[in-house]
Amino acid sequence: MAGVAAVVPCKDEADRIGATVAAVAALDVVTRVVVVDDGSSDGTTAAAEAAGADVVRHPVNRGKAAALRTGVARVRELEAAAGEEPAALLFVDGDLQETASALGVLTDAVLDGSADMTIATLPAQITAGGGRGLVVGLARRGIQHLTGFRAVQPLSGMRCLSPRAYEAASPLARGWGVETALTVDVLRAGLRVLEVPCELQHRVSGSDWRGQLHRAGQYRDVWLALVRRGWRPWQRG
């Protein structure tokens, strides 16, 4: 594999994306950083470009999975133009800021071939979220039922994938179901998944109505991703 290409999907992260891009770009194994501005209404695109990222912009919000697909397509386009072999893919949330410098631990096992996908497990966050673990529990139960793998943090968006793992998970599940489906699809392809502790801090959803709507959307998308992969939790026996 020809190093690692970072894909950063984000929306309205003008205050954070510059620091995130700089931290990721500074990792020795990262060869390029592609940011997908998924319909932002602030200066996210300008901030990402100022930090040195290649930026693709969706004029309207299309969701996380669509942003990841766009980012990977751009990476492969740039690689083809440069005559490069496909790189491993590092998926990065746009709000990590300087803590994104810790993401290097995700790349080691993929680059040395001991894992096909690594998933970051995060420490306790400085700011507590407003959720009650319903979406996490749903994702964990579904993944375990379908694959036997018990994920510590099944919704973690920070992942490194070999080209083979990404192909196994394509086409990506819609919206917020993408992480849960990635784990199921990569494992079902007979590939290796490893969770790796990673010292990251990000902005969490609160308990206000916006946070509640966000979690409702997550629950819907995770449920759909699992059911479309054969989980039938309403059936007993």
Side-chain angles (χ1 to χ4, degrees), residues 12-20 42-44 47 94-95 97-98 203:
D12 295 330
E13 294 289 1
D15 294 338
R16 302 172 179 86
I17 191 63
T20 302
D42 62 3
T44 293
D95 59 358
Q97 298 182 274
E98 292 82 0
R203 180 165 46 86

Side-chain angles (χ1 to χ4, degrees), residues 69-96:
R69 287 194 296 270
T70 294
V72 173
R74 178 60 175 164
V75 166
R76 299 305 186 223
E77 176 187 346
L78 293 171
E79 290 170 342
E84 299 170 354
E85 293 295 319
L89 299 165
L90 181 64
F91 293 163
V92 182
D93 285 354
D95 59 358
L96 298 176

Side-chain angles (χ1 to χ4, degrees), residues 17-27 33 51:
I17 191 63
T20 302
V21 168
V24 173
L27 296 172
V33 180

